Amino acid sequence: MFHRISDDNFNDMGVLRLDVKSDYEKSEVLKELLELFIPQTYELFNCDEIITKIPIYAVEHLDAMQNYGFTKSKYLMIGTNDHYAYNGYWTIKKL
């Protein structure tokens, strides 16, 4: 996780990358992990919104994120080094 500074729609957001061993890539397990650290992430990274990338093939990952409250972003993330537009990002706002 880190705080992102950029010139796109994802500026000043917390970025979450959640890589787990395939044995744990199950919706229930992932949701438990989210419950452990998402509430603290807003304060740790001084942000009101968190983004994460969810590949279309990651069905369990997608299910966990949606059940936790993440929604698909309509925006593309612009790479800070290559200026390439990346899709597949999901966001959740601080309650």
Side-chain angles (χ1 to χ4, degrees):
M1 295 188 292
F2 62 93
H3 185 100
R4 186 169 196 267
I5 303 298
S6 65
D7 293 326
D8 62 12
N9 290 297
F10 299 108
N11 182 45
D12 208 28
M13 292 187 189
V15 178
L16 165 67
R17 180 169 174 156
L18 184 58
D19 296 321
V20 296
K21 184 177 176 186
S22 59
D23 295 350
Y24 301 105
E25 188 74 31
K26 295 179 178 28
S27 181
E28 309 82 43
V29 174
L30 294 169
K31 190 160 185 275
E32 284 182 41
L33 290 171
L34 295 172
E35 290 169 351
L36 288 173
F37 56 78
I38 289 292
Q40 288 73 254
T41 299
Y42 299 108
E43 186 176 336
L44 284 169
F45 294 99
N46 192 28
C47 63
D48 293 325
E49 196 165 357
I50 299 168
I51 59 172
T52 191
K53 179 152 177 111
I54 305 173
I56 57 173
Y57 59 81
V59 178
E60 294 283 329
H61 205 97
L62 176 59
D63 185 59
M65 295 297 192
Q66 283 182 308
N67 284 331
Y68 193 80
F70 279 82
T71 57
K72 186 169 173 101
S73 177
K74 64 182 179 179
Y75 300 108
L76 298 175
M77 177 185 279
I78 307 303
T80 54
N81 294 327
D82 61 7
H83 304 291
Y84 185 81
Y86 296 92
N87 66 3
Y89 283 88
W90 291 67
T91 65
I92 189 168
K93 291 185 180 182
K94 183 178 180 180
L95 299 176

